[in-house]
């Protein structure tokens, strides 16, 4: 009897907790956490059971095994004798290379096309909108194939390369650039470059201060800075007697050796990612600029500001708060889309690690988990940086 | 309606001599403008002399805002000539900029720059257009902010101010460029009734100091108190212009009488 009474009071208390506006959210969250934990435990347990059942060893020991395969583009030293761990590093670096270059180029191209799209010049505005509508409406994979198989594959063979002044060569195997090699006296020249950059920054700040104080002297600034940046290292170079040689690409046998090589896989992927993403960024930029009320431009113009200054001082700063969140999305898309590299054999992370390494080792869970972790880290870092920037441009109201 | 008849600036210089007419600050002749097929401004002739205060009124859609927006080329006109302080408005961009430096404008929607502080709003153009030193520009800006009685808001953002305060900042921002003439495009139409007076007070003060002013407004009390001349526009034409006493008490055209009947008797 007494047990029954206590049970009813327990239910009463519970229902009171459930109806309480402070405790109900807590109860709900506790329930959700419980469900998620159960799911995770079940997935891990299930996976371990299956792996054991099929006799697959788990763990990250495979990372120290010899990889035994070559990679056509490596930013760090690598050959067949290096480990799978090294393969992972090479893949991550290649992914970061194409993503960061793609983000930089797509941003510049996207802003230019977006602003051109709003130009009063009829031809420019039409050209920009044709660009946008073409490239954002064709699947990215098809565009990668287009650049790789249709455009770059149509380039001549190495023996009939397109040559630009016997220094730069373009052929079906890639783009060959001269590589500067400083043979001696490297340190003073490098040091002078650093000093020149610091000096230029100081000069710039001083001139700006001077201008804000007196309103004088802005015109010569770019030339002065250029002079400092180029002049100082050049003088140090001349007087320190450092010698610099340029390693030119040379045709040996069937292909060029020496110099810097940009492989066609990188070229095609970079072109496709840049142009595809730029088309979306252009629309983001256009939307941002159009979100700024017309009255803002009129007020700035009525004060006598030139059109360029109206754009940079009044319109763009206000457009940025509208541009940044969708721009972040485009950056994230570009980084993740770079995994399509595997379709044309550019050695990115998915291709060399989640592809070749996974096939050779069979360590699916570990490899896929590591690959996912890399993309997650890249994406979260991009988001974090963009959020910090977003907070800086946010408007203060009230 | 607010009545300013007791204001001392009622004693305005009505003596427009011929000599002043020869040197009018704004000289508009044969101005015509179309929006597509729609004829917004028809054969406008208008001369404004230095120090003169002119109020333009008329029903909405009569082209009064379009007219003053043509003066600093926010709207392009198709026919006729506009000369401001000796500079003729052509499609020469330098001429347009020269004119905009001399002509201040206050908008119905204030149009302060929301990403800049009040002080930065006021110093932006002096620094970038007049190439003033920042310190100097800030000093001047603070003086004008004091004159419109909001120096204590200098470091806030426009979103933190009331409508009346924002409009007073907008006036100060224009004055910082030290313009020859001020254009007002319905400066009080977007304001709550209790904020209209604070903005009109600033404008009356400005008029008293001798600023040349061209105002599009529905504030007939302001027109009566401050204006040297009231212009009535309808369907893109100047129907009637006269000193306020004559304009309000003896309107000549039937259309003007009708309009005044609607705005005054309620």
């Amino acid at each position: 009897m007494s047990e029954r009474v206590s049970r009813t009071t327990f239910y009463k208390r519970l229902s009171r907790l459930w109806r309480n506006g402070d405790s109900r959210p807590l109860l709900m969250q506790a329930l959700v956490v419980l469900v998620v934990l159960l799911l995770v435990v079940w997935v891990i347990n299930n996976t371990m059971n299956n792996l054991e059942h099929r006799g697959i060893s788990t763990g990250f020991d495979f990372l120290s095994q010899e990889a035994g395969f070559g990679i056509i583009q490596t930013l760090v030293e690598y050959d067949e004798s290096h480990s799978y761990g090294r393969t992972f590093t090479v893949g991550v670096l290649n992914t970061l290379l194409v993503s960061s270059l793609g983000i930089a180029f797509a941003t510049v191209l996207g802003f230019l096309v977006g602003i051109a799209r709003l130009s009063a010049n009829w031809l420019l505005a039409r050209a920009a909108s044709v660009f946008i509508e073409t490239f954002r409406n064709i699947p990215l994979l098809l565009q990668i194939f287009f650049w790789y198989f249709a455009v770059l594959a149509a380039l001549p063979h190495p023996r009939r390369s397109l040559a630009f002044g016997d220094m730069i060569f373009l052929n079906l195997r890639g783009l060959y650039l001269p590589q500067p090699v400083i043979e001696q006296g490297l340190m003073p020249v490098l040091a002078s470059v650093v000093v020149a950059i610091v000096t230029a920054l100081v000069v710039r700040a001083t001139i700006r201060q001077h201008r804000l104080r007196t309103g004088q002297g802005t015109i010569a600034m770019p030339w002065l800075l250029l002079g400092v940046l180029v002049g100082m290292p050049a003088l140090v170079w001349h007087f320190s007697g450092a010698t610099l040689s340029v390693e030119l690409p040379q045709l040996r046998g069937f292909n060029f050796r020496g110099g810097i090589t940009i492989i066609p896989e990188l070229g095609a992927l970079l072109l496709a990612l840049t142009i595809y993403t730029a088309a979306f960024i252009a629309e983001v930029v256009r939307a941002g600029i159009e979100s700024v009320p017309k009255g803002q431009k009129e007020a700035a113009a009525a004060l006598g500001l030139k059109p360029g200054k109206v754009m940079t001082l009044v319109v763009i700063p206000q457009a940025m708060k509208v541009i940044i969140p969708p721009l972040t999305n485009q950056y994230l898309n570009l980084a993740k889309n770079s995994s399509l590299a595997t379709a044309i054999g550019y050695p990115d992370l998915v291709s060399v690690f989640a592809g070749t390494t996974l096939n050779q080792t069979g360590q699916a869970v570990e490899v896929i988990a590591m690959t996912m972790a890399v993309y997650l880290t890249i994406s979260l870092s991009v988001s974090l940086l963009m959020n910090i920037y977003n907070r800086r441009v946010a408007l203060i109201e009230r | 309606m607010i009545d300013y008849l007791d204001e001392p600036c009622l004693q305005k210089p009505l003596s427009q001599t011929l000599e002043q007419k020869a040197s009018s600050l704004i000289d508009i002749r044969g101005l015509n403008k179309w929006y597509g097929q729609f004829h917004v401004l028809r054969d406008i002739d208008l001369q404004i002399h230095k120090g003169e205060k002119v109020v333009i009124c008329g029903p909405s859609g009569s082209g009064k805002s379009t007219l003053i927006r043509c003066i600093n080329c926010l709207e392009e006109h198709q026919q006729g000539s506009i000369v401001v302080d000796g500079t003729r408005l052509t499609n020469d961009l330098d001429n347009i900029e020269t004119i905009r430096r001399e002509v201040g404008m206050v908008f119905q929607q204030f149009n302060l720059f929301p990403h800049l502080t009040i002080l930065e709003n006021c110093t932006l153009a002096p620094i970038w257009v007049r190439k003033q030193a920042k310190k100097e520009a800030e000093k001047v800006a603070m003086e004008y902010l004091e004159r419109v009685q909001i120096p204590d808001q200098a470091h806030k953002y426009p979103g933190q101010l009331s409508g009346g305060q924002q409009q007073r900042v907008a006036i100060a921002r224009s004055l910082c460029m030290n313009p020859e003439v001020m254009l007002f495009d319905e400066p009080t139409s977007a304001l709550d009734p209790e904020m209209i007076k604070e903005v009109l007070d600033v404008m009356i003060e400005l008029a008293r100091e001798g600023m040349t002013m061209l105002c599009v407004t529905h504030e007939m009390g302001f027109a009566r108190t401050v204006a040297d001349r009231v212009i009535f526009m309808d369907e893109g034409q100047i129907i009637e212009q006269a000193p306020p006493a004559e304009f309000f008490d003896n309107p000549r055209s039937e259309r003007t009488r009708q309009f005044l009947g609607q705005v005054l008797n309620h």
Side-chain angles (χ1 to χ4, degrees):
Chain A
M1 201 58 191
S2 68
E3 193 189 313
R4 203 162 156 199
V5 168
S6 73
R7 190 172 281 178
T8 47
T9 52
F10 174 72
Y11 283 134
K12 256 188 193 155
R13 269 194 201 150
L14 200 64
S15 88
R16 205 180 303 140
L17 270 181
W18 185 247
R19 275 183 281 124
N20 185 323
D22 292 331
S23 59
R24 174 135 87 178
L26 286 175
L27 273 175
M28 294 274 260
Q29 288 176 46
L31 263 175
V32 171
V33 169
L34 193 70
V35 169
V36 170
L37 276 179
L38 282 175
L39 259 173
V40 169
V41 168
W42 177 73
V43 165
I44 291 176
N45 194 30
N46 199 13
T47 313
M48 297 311 267
N49 274 342
N50 282 338
L51 287 174
E52 207 176 328
H53 198 70
R54 292 179 193 172
I56 299 173
S57 65
T58 52
F60 292 91
D61 294 341
F62 72 98
L63 286 176
S64 52
Q65 288 168 20
E66 191 182 291
F69 65 92
I71 297 177
I72 54 171
Q73 176 195 292
T74 60
L75 296 181
V76 288
E77 199 191 327
Y78 178 86
D79 61 42
E80 290 83 345
S81 65
H82 280 90
S83 67
Y84 286 122
R86 190 74 168 177
T87 310
F88 174 74
T89 312
V90 169
V92 169
L93 287 177
N94 283 345
T95 289
L96 285 177
L97 175 74
V98 74
S99 302
S100 49
L101 286 178
I103 284 174
F105 292 153
T107 307
V108 174
L109 186 61
F111 268 78
L112 289 178
V113 175
I115 292 170
R117 175 79 173 70
L118 292 172
S119 166
N121 182 328
W122 184 87
L123 189 63
L124 195 60
R126 284 297 120 191
S129 68
V130 167
F131 173 91
I132 293 167
E133 293 308 333
T134 310
F135 289 107
R136 72 172 180 165
N137 288 317
I138 294 173
L140 176 56
L141 185 59
L142 203 57
Q143 290 191 41
I144 294 175
F145 284 159
F146 170 76
W147 291 111
Y148 189 60
F149 293 118
V151 178
L152 297 189
L155 288 171
H157 283 273
R159 283 180 184 284
R160 277 171 292 150
S161 294
L162 300 170
F164 305 94
D166 275 346
M167 291 174 84
I168 300 169
F169 299 92
L170 182 63
N171 63 45
L172 154 115
R173 300 271 186 87
L175 177 65
Y176 297 83
L177 304 169
Q179 181 173 26
V181 183
I182 293 177
E183 281 159 352
Q184 54 161 314
L186 175 73
M187 284 322 287
V189 177
L190 275 186
S192 75
V193 168
V194 175
V195 173
I197 291 172
V198 173
T199 315
L201 288 177
V202 171
V203 168
R204 182 164 168 267
T206 317
I207 292 180
R208 187 161 276 191
Q209 277 301 317
H210 179 69
R211 173 167 139 46
L212 290 179
R213 232 176 322 109
T214 63
Q216 307 291 310
T218 44
I219 299 153
M221 184 141 96
W223 295 109
L224 197 60
L225 293 184
L226 195 70
V228 171
L229 280 175
V230 176
M232 274 183 55
L235 280 177
V236 171
W237 187 323
H238 185 76
F239 289 110
S240 72
T243 50
L244 175 121
S245 67
V246 176
E247 188 186 295
L248 289 178
Q250 304 248 316
L251 188 63
R252 302 253 174 78
F254 292 111
N255 205 353
F256 285 87
R257 301 253 183 272
I260 299 169
T261 309
I262 296 173
I263 57 171
E265 287 78 12
L266 175 62
L269 185 63
L270 200 52
L271 270 170
L273 284 175
T274 299
I275 291 173
Y276 178 78
T277 314
F280 286 93
I281 291 178
E283 283 295 89
V284 167
V285 170
R286 177 169 77 108
I289 290 175
E290 283 187 335
S291 76
V292 179
K294 207 170 134 238
Q296 291 290 313
K297 267 180 250 177
E298 288 179 353
L303 285 167
L305 289 164
K306 291 176 193 291
K309 285 270 169 283
V310 173
M311 204 66 174
T312 54
L313 294 174
V314 175
V315 178
I316 297 276
Q318 293 183 60
M320 283 319 274
K321 80 186 163 92
V322 177
I323 291 175
I324 288 170
L327 185 64
T328 309
N329 283 343
Q330 292 308 324
Y331 287 173
L332 298 180
N333 279 345
L334 190 145
K336 290 177 292 178
N337 284 339
S338 73
S339 62
L340 288 171
T342 189
I344 54 170
Y346 173 76
D348 82 320
L349 181 65
V350 170
S351 173
V352 299
F353 197 64
T356 317
T357 303
L358 173 55
N359 280 337
Q360 292 190 4
T361 61
Q363 303 283 349
V365 177
E366 293 84 351
V367 167
I368 297 295
M370 282 173 75
T371 311
M372 283 178 166
V374 168
Y375 281 101
L376 198 61
T377 310
I378 294 175
S379 295
L380 289 178
S381 313
V382 171
S383 295
L384 182 72
L385 288 176
M386 295 300 277
N387 281 343
I388 291 171
Y389 184 53
N390 198 18
R391 215 163 302 142
R392 286 188 46 197
V393 299
L395 288 185
I396 297 169
E397 316 216 359
R398 237 156 290 289
Chain B
M1 192 157 299
I2 303 154
D3 204 352
Y4 293 95
L5 285 173
D6 54 344
E7 292 282 334
C9 66
L10 228 177
Q11 298 107 34
K12 46 198 169 262
L14 275 175
S15 53
Q16 252 115 52
T17 60
L18 283 169
E19 162 218 324
Q20 273 178 308
K21 277 197 171 165
S23 64
S24 46
L25 196 54
I26 297 177
D27 190 347
I28 302 173
R29 284 176 204 277
L31 185 70
N32 273 287
K33 176 173 173 61
W34 289 264
Y35 283 128
Q37 293 292 309
F38 182 58
H39 202 164
V40 250
L41 294 177
R42 301 161 191 257
D43 300 317
I44 302 281
D45 283 300
L46 179 63
Q47 283 77 42
I48 313 256
H49 320 292
K50 198 162 172 55
E52 199 182 10
K53 291 100 184 107
V54 177
V55 164
I56 305 177
C57 59
S60 55
S62 59
K64 47 197 194 311
S65 285
T66 310
L67 172 61
I68 69 165
R69 287 163 59 86
C70 279
I71 294 171
N72 63 354
C73 206
L74 289 182
E75 303 277 353
E76 283 177 13
H77 59 277
Q78 280 92 33
Q79 254 178 38
S81 79
I82 299 176
V83 179
V84 179
D85 200 15
T87 311
R88 185 168 168 173
L89 191 57
T90 56
N91 54 8
D92 180 336
L93 295 176
D94 285 347
N95 273 0
I96 294 175
E97 274 153 26
T98 310
I99 287 177
R100 283 176 176 168
R101 278 199 293 272
E102 303 311 324
V103 178
M105 188 163 200
V106 175
F107 298 84
Q108 185 178 352
Q109 299 295 340
F110 332 135
N111 294 346
L112 294 182
F113 306 129
H115 62 299
L116 301 177
T117 63
I118 299 307
L119 191 59
E120 287 166 344
N121 262 279
C122 293
T123 56
L124 186 77
I127 290 175
W128 290 97
V129 180
R130 290 252 190 253
K131 310 281 181 207
Q132 273 180 20
K134 190 179 175 194
K135 279 242 173 67
E136 175 67 21
E138 282 178 351
K139 212 181 101 210
V140 173
M142 285 310 293
E143 277 166 24
Y144 282 112
L145 286 175
E146 253 155 56
R147 273 173 52 182
V148 300
Q149 285 158 26
I150 30 181
D152 45 329
Q153 314 282 357
H155 297 286
K156 288 192 180 167
Y157 286 86
Q160 298 168 302
L161 268 58
S162 75
Q165 289 174 323
Q166 289 195 45
Q167 193 62 298
R168 285 186 280 150
V169 172
I171 295 172
R173 176 175 73 177
S174 284
L175 292 176
C176 285
M177 284 295 282
N178 199 12
E180 287 289 321
V181 53
M182 288 283 286
L183 308 176
F184 292 85
D185 187 2
E186 304 202 22
T188 56
S189 300
L191 293 173
D192 291 338
E194 74 266 30
M195 291 171 183
I196 292 178
K197 187 175 181 305
E198 63 186 59
V199 171
L200 289 181
D201 282 346
V202 167
M203 290 169 65
I204 290 169
E205 183 62 33
L206 196 58
R208 196 179 287 155
E209 286 161 15
M211 173 62 76
T212 313
M213 291 162 73
L214 187 51
C215 312
V216 171
T217 183
H218 297 297
E219 296 296 329
M220 291 303 143
F222 172 79
R224 214 184 253 275
T225 320
V226 170
D228 297 316
R229 186 160 37 133
V230 183
I231 292 174
F232 175 70
M233 280 184 77
D234 192 24
E235 292 176 344
Q237 281 174 310
I238 293 180
I239 305 286
E240 183 165 349
Q241 46 182 320
E246 195 183 322
F247 181 86
F248 289 110
D249 302 336
N250 287 311
R252 268 169 294 166
S253 90
E254 178 54 34
R255 186 69 191 89
T256 315
R257 258 190 297 261
Q258 211 183 332
F259 174 77
L260 286 176
Q262 273 161 354
V263 292
L264 292 176
N265 302 332
H266 56 80

